[in-house]
């Protein structure tokens, strides 16, 4: 393993076990066994190191997506958009793994580590709304959860500034969900 890969593996280990706030070049040098100067050669500042970790995550996402897309292309998914079919396939596989130990878990930890997200009041509020929706008698459980998850997805895509959806796209999705739930509750 080359020095850069060794540094990234050690950084991933630190973030996963101790949290992103404990990632420093001194700590990374101690864990990786590399000199601090070597680390600074590859990563001029901490932001470069964090970007490299997130680039690894993006590469893993692409690899898993392509694998899922290839499988869904061979499966009987003729009535489903290939991108949606691949995302469904990928997500089914994702939830059978331990996401907190994956590059996804690392990316989320890097994004939210400073917030103490599990105990964050906004997160708790959302958890309460999900529980409230699950106990409602209108619509099926799957319809309600799908609706809430779609809205959360739109929110986080916007919040994380991913730029995947325009305001018009989001409005179309929200109108569709509203129409679908109204139609199915009759």
């Amino acid at each position: 393993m080359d020095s850069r890969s060794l540094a990234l593996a050690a950084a991933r280990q630190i973030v996963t076990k101790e949290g992103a706030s404990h990632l420093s070049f001194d700590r990374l040098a101690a864990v990786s066994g590399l000199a601090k100067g070597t680390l600074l050669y590859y990563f001029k500042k901490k932001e470069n190191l964090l970007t490299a970790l997130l680039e690894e995550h993006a590469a893993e996402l692409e690899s898993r997506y392509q694998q899922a897309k290839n499988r869904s292309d061979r499966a009987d998914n003729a009535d489903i958009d290939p991108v949606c079919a691949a995302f469904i396939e990928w997500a089914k596989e994702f939830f059978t793994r331990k996401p907190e130990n994956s590059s996804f878990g690392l990316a989320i930890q890097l994004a939210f580590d400073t917030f103490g997200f599990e105990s964050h009041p906004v997160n708790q509020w959302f958890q309460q709304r999900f529980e409230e929706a699950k106990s409602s008698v209108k619509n099926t459980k799957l319809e309600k959860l799908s609706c809430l998850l779609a809205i959360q997805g739109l929110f986080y895509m916007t919040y994380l500034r991913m730029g995947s959806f325009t305001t018009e796209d989001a409005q179309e999705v929200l109108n569709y969900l509203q129409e679908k739930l109204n139609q199915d509750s009759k």
Side-chain angles (χ1 to χ4, degrees), residues 122-134:
V122 173
N123 185 42
Q124 290 176 345
W125 182 86
F126 276 109
Q127 288 175 353
Q128 291 168 352
R129 297 300 71 78
F130 270 76
E131 290 305 316
E132 186 179 339
K134 284 195 282 188

Side-chain angles (χ1 to χ4, degrees), residues 2-130:
D2 66 2
S3 296
R4 186 178 191 281
S5 298
L6 182 62
L8 287 171
R12 196 170 32 262
Q13 178 186 346
I14 292 167
V15 172
T16 301
K17 290 183 178 178
E18 302 172 34
S21 61
H22 293 276
L23 182 61
S24 68
F25 283 109
D26 289 330
R27 182 77 180 114
L28 186 55
V31 171
S32 68
L34 298 170
K36 189 174 176 180
T38 301
L39 298 171
L40 290 170
Y41 171 79
Y42 289 106
F43 312 102
K44 304 293 182 222
K45 51 188 176 180
K46 186 176 177 179
E47 290 79 18
N48 299 112
L49 176 61
L50 297 175
T51 299
L53 288 171
L54 293 173
E55 286 170 348
E56 280 189 338
H57 172 57
E60 180 185 331
L61 285 177
E62 179 60 20
S63 172
R64 289 187 178 277
Y65 170 72
Q66 289 301 328
Q67 290 169 9
K69 190 169 185 310
N70 290 338
R71 283 190 301 271
S72 70
D73 285 345
R74 292 189 301 269
D76 186 24
N77 290 320
D79 295 336
I80 301 175
D81 177 84
V83 174
C84 291
F87 263 82
I88 291 167
E89 167 80 16
W90 176 79
K92 284 180 177 180
E93 189 271 335
F94 171 80
F95 284 107
T96 63
R97 298 185 282 133
K98 290 190 175 270
E100 63 276 7
N101 295 332
S102 69
S103 67
F104 170 78
L106 177 69
I108 294 300
Q109 194 165 8
L110 289 172
F112 293 109
D113 195 44
T114 57
F115 296 117
F117 200 62
E118 287 181 6
S119 62
H120 193 284
V122 173
N123 185 42
Q124 290 176 345
W125 182 86
F126 276 109
Q127 288 175 353
Q128 291 168 352
R129 297 300 71 78
F130 270 76

